PDB file of all heavy atoms in Angstrom:
ATOM      1  N   LYS A 163      -0.985 -13.840   3.138  1.00  0.00           N
ATOM      2  CA  LYS A 163      -0.425 -12.762   3.948  1.00  0.00           C
ATOM      3  C   LYS A 163       0.660 -12.006   3.176  1.00  0.00           C
ATOM      4  O   LYS A 163       1.287 -12.557   2.275  1.00  0.00           O
ATOM      5  CB  LYS A 163       0.160 -13.307   5.240  1.00  0.00           C
ATOM      6  CG  LYS A 163      -0.871 -13.795   6.249  1.00  0.00           C
ATOM      7  CD  LYS A 163      -0.197 -14.196   7.557  1.00  0.00           C
ATOM      8  CE  LYS A 163      -1.212 -14.624   8.593  1.00  0.00           C
ATOM      9  NZ  LYS A 163      -0.575 -14.972   9.887  1.00  0.00           N
ATOM     10  N   TYR A 164       0.858 -10.755   3.562  1.00  0.00           N
ATOM     11  CA  TYR A 164       1.949  -9.957   3.002  1.00  0.00           C
ATOM     12  C   TYR A 164       2.377  -8.924   4.041  1.00  0.00           C
ATOM     13  O   TYR A 164       1.718  -8.722   5.057  1.00  0.00           O
ATOM     14  CB  TYR A 164       1.522  -9.256   1.705  1.00  0.00           C
ATOM     15  CG  TYR A 164       0.555  -8.100   1.888  1.00  0.00           C
ATOM     16  CD1 TYR A 164       1.022  -6.808   2.094  1.00  0.00           C
ATOM     17  CD2 TYR A 164      -0.818  -8.312   1.860  1.00  0.00           C
ATOM     18  CE1 TYR A 164       0.124  -5.757   2.288  1.00  0.00           C
ATOM     19  CE2 TYR A 164      -1.711  -7.268   2.030  1.00  0.00           C
ATOM     20  CZ  TYR A 164      -1.229  -5.987   2.245  1.00  0.00           C
ATOM     21  OH  TYR A 164      -2.108  -4.950   2.437  1.00  0.00           O
ATOM     22  N   TYR A 165       3.492  -8.241   3.751  1.00  0.00           N
ATOM     23  CA  TYR A 165       4.003  -7.200   4.641  1.00  0.00           C
ATOM     24  C   TYR A 165       3.986  -5.830   3.964  1.00  0.00           C
ATOM     25  O   TYR A 165       4.324  -5.704   2.789  1.00  0.00           O
ATOM     26  CB  TYR A 165       5.433  -7.517   5.090  1.00  0.00           C
ATOM     27  CG  TYR A 165       5.509  -8.516   6.202  1.00  0.00           C
ATOM     28  CD1 TYR A 165       6.086  -9.766   6.005  1.00  0.00           C
ATOM     29  CD2 TYR A 165       5.001  -8.213   7.464  1.00  0.00           C
ATOM     30  CE1 TYR A 165       6.155 -10.692   7.041  1.00  0.00           C
ATOM     31  CE2 TYR A 165       5.068  -9.132   8.506  1.00  0.00           C
ATOM     32  CZ  TYR A 165       5.641 -10.370   8.272  1.00  0.00           C
ATOM     33  OH  TYR A 165       5.702 -11.274   9.298  1.00  0.00           O
ATOM     34  N   SER A 166       3.592  -4.847   4.739  1.00  0.00           N
ATOM     35  CA  SER A 166       3.645  -3.440   4.312  1.00  0.00           C
ATOM     36  C   SER A 166       4.955  -2.836   4.786  1.00  0.00           C
ATOM     37  O   SER A 166       5.512  -3.251   5.812  1.00  0.00           O
ATOM     38  CB  SER A 166       2.466  -2.668   4.899  1.00  0.00           C
ATOM     39  OG  SER A 166       2.766  -1.304   5.026  1.00  0.00           O
ATOM     40  N   ALA A 167       5.443  -1.819   4.060  1.00  0.00           N
ATOM     41  CA  ALA A 167       6.734  -1.196   4.404  1.00  0.00           C
ATOM     42  C   ALA A 167       6.640  -0.217   5.554  1.00  0.00           C
ATOM     43  O   ALA A 167       7.653   0.267   6.036  1.00  0.00           O
ATOM     44  CB  ALA A 167       7.296  -0.475   3.174  1.00  0.00           C
ATOM     45  N   ALA A 168       5.446   0.111   6.014  1.00  0.00           N
ATOM     46  CA  ALA A 168       5.290   1.174   7.013  1.00  0.00           C
ATOM     47  C   ALA A 168       5.871   0.800   8.353  1.00  0.00           C
ATOM     48  O   ALA A 168       5.805  -0.346   8.797  1.00  0.00           O
ATOM     49  CB  ALA A 168       3.818   1.521   7.173  1.00  0.00           C
ATOM     50  N   ARG A 169       6.445   1.808   9.029  1.00  0.00           N
ATOM     51  CA  ARG A 169       6.881   1.682  10.407  1.00  0.00           C
ATOM     52  C   ARG A 169       6.389   2.905  11.158  1.00  0.00           C
ATOM     53  O   ARG A 169       6.400   4.004  10.605  1.00  0.00           O
ATOM     54  CB  ARG A 169       8.403   1.587  10.501  1.00  0.00           C
ATOM     55  CG  ARG A 169       8.963   0.292   9.908  1.00  0.00           C
ATOM     56  CD  ARG A 169      10.433   0.496   9.604  1.00  0.00           C
ATOM     57  NE  ARG A 169      11.073  -0.718   9.134  1.00  0.00           N
ATOM     58  CZ  ARG A 169      10.980  -1.140   7.877  1.00  0.00           C
ATOM     59  NH1 ARG A 169      10.294  -0.458   6.986  1.00  0.00           N
ATOM     60  NH2 ARG A 169      11.592  -2.248   7.511  1.00  0.00           N
ATOM     61  N   MET A 170       5.975   2.730  12.380  1.00  0.00           N
ATOM     62  CA  MET A 170       5.378   3.848  13.106  1.00  0.00           C
ATOM     63  C   MET A 170       5.994   4.027  14.482  1.00  0.00           C
ATOM     64  O   MET A 170       5.328   4.353  15.442  1.00  0.00           O
ATOM     65  CB  MET A 170       3.858   3.642  13.236  1.00  0.00           C
ATOM     66  CG  MET A 170       3.153   3.600  11.903  1.00  0.00           C
ATOM     67  SD  MET A 170       1.369   3.413  12.075  1.00  0.00           S
ATOM     68  CE  MET A 170       0.863   3.392  10.373  1.00  0.00           C
ATOM     69  N   TRP A 171       7.311   3.783  14.616  1.00  0.00           N
ATOM     70  CA  TRP A 171       7.951   3.982  15.906  1.00  0.00           C
ATOM     71  C   TRP A 171       9.363   4.465  15.669  1.00  0.00           C
ATOM     72  O   TRP A 171       9.931   4.300  14.623  1.00  0.00           O
ATOM     73  CB  TRP A 171       7.920   2.717  16.736  1.00  0.00           C
ATOM     74  CG  TRP A 171       8.745   1.596  16.182  1.00  0.00           C
ATOM     75  CD1 TRP A 171       8.538   0.927  15.029  1.00  0.00           C
ATOM     76  CD2 TRP A 171       9.914   1.026  16.768  1.00  0.00           C
ATOM     77  NE1 TRP A 171       9.483  -0.035  14.840  1.00  0.00           N
ATOM     78  CE2 TRP A 171      10.350   0.013  15.898  1.00  0.00           C
ATOM     79  CE3 TRP A 171      10.619   1.271  17.938  1.00  0.00           C
ATOM     80  CZ2 TRP A 171      11.460  -0.774  16.164  1.00  0.00           C
ATOM     81  CZ3 TRP A 171      11.741   0.486  18.197  1.00  0.00           C
ATOM     82  CH2 TRP A 171      12.145  -0.518  17.323  1.00  0.00           C
ATOM     83  N   LEU A 172       9.948   5.098  16.669  1.00  0.00           N
ATOM     84  CA  LEU A 172      11.312   5.628  16.578  1.00  0.00           C
ATOM     85  C   LEU A 172      12.318   4.560  16.990  1.00  0.00           C
ATOM     86  O   LEU A 172      12.008   3.684  17.789  1.00  0.00           O
ATOM     87  CB  LEU A 172      11.440   6.856  17.509  1.00  0.00           C
ATOM     88  CG  LEU A 172      10.610   8.065  17.114  1.00  0.00           C
ATOM     89  CD1 LEU A 172      10.786   9.153  18.162  1.00  0.00           C
ATOM     90  CD2 LEU A 172      11.012   8.572  15.738  1.00  0.00           C
ATOM     91  N   PRO A 173      13.540   4.641  16.435  1.00  0.00           N
ATOM     92  CA  PRO A 173      13.996   5.600  15.434  1.00  0.00           C
ATOM     93  C   PRO A 173      13.380   5.329  14.070  1.00  0.00           C
ATOM     94  O   PRO A 173      12.981   4.232  13.783  1.00  0.00           O
ATOM     95  CB  PRO A 173      15.508   5.385  15.420  1.00  0.00           C
ATOM     96  CG  PRO A 173      15.675   3.967  15.795  1.00  0.00           C
ATOM     97  CD  PRO A 173      14.610   3.687  16.823  1.00  0.00           C
ATOM     98  N   ALA A 174      13.333   6.361  13.249  1.00  0.00           N
ATOM     99  CA  ALA A 174      12.596   6.313  11.989  1.00  0.00           C
ATOM    100  C   ALA A 174      13.380   5.567  10.915  1.00  0.00           C
ATOM    101  O   ALA A 174      13.919   6.161   9.981  1.00  0.00           O
ATOM    102  CB  ALA A 174      12.259   7.719  11.516  1.00  0.00           C
ATOM    103  N   MET A 175      13.477   4.255  11.068  1.00  0.00           N
ATOM    104  CA  MET A 175      14.077   3.422  10.032  1.00  0.00           C
ATOM    105  C   MET A 175      12.983   3.094   9.027  1.00  0.00           C
ATOM    106  O   MET A 175      12.564   1.940   8.869  1.00  0.00           O
ATOM    107  CB  MET A 175      14.650   2.150  10.642  1.00  0.00           C
ATOM    108  CG  MET A 175      15.738   2.372  11.657  1.00  0.00           C
ATOM    109  SD  MET A 175      17.340   2.637  10.897  1.00  0.00           S
ATOM    110  CE  MET A 175      17.685   0.995  10.290  1.00  0.00           C
ATOM    111  N   ASP A 176      12.470   4.092   8.355  1.00  0.00           N
ATOM    112  CA  ASP A 176      11.280   3.921   7.525  1.00  0.00           C
ATOM    113  C   ASP A 176      11.662   3.956   6.051  1.00  0.00           C
ATOM    114  O   ASP A 176      12.059   4.980   5.523  1.00  0.00           O
ATOM    115  CB  ASP A 176      10.272   5.033   7.834  1.00  0.00           C
ATOM    116  CG  ASP A 176       8.914   4.750   7.216  1.00  0.00           C
ATOM    117  OD1 ASP A 176       8.838   3.846   6.354  1.00  0.00           O
ATOM    118  OD2 ASP A 176       7.953   5.421   7.583  1.00  0.00           O
ATOM    119  N   PHE A 177      11.525   2.809   5.395  1.00  0.00           N
ATOM    120  CA  PHE A 177      11.836   2.722   3.975  1.00  0.00           C
ATOM    121  C   PHE A 177      10.573   2.690   3.124  1.00  0.00           C
ATOM    122  O   PHE A 177      10.595   2.257   1.978  1.00  0.00           O
ATOM    123  CB  PHE A 177      12.677   1.467   3.710  1.00  0.00           C
ATOM    124  CG  PHE A 177      13.942   1.429   4.487  1.00  0.00           C
ATOM    125  CD1 PHE A 177      14.125   0.518   5.506  1.00  0.00           C
ATOM    126  CD2 PHE A 177      14.966   2.327   4.212  1.00  0.00           C
ATOM    127  CE1 PHE A 177      15.305   0.479   6.234  1.00  0.00           C
ATOM    128  CE2 PHE A 177      16.148   2.295   4.942  1.00  0.00           C
ATOM    129  CZ  PHE A 177      16.326   1.384   5.943  1.00  0.00           C
TER     130      PHE A 177
END
Side-chain angles (χ1 to χ4, degrees):
K163 289 185 178 182
Y164 72 89
Y165 280 114
S166 154
R169 293 160 175 81
M170 298 182 180
W171 67 294
L172 294 177
M175 299 278 289
D176 192 347
F177 302 111

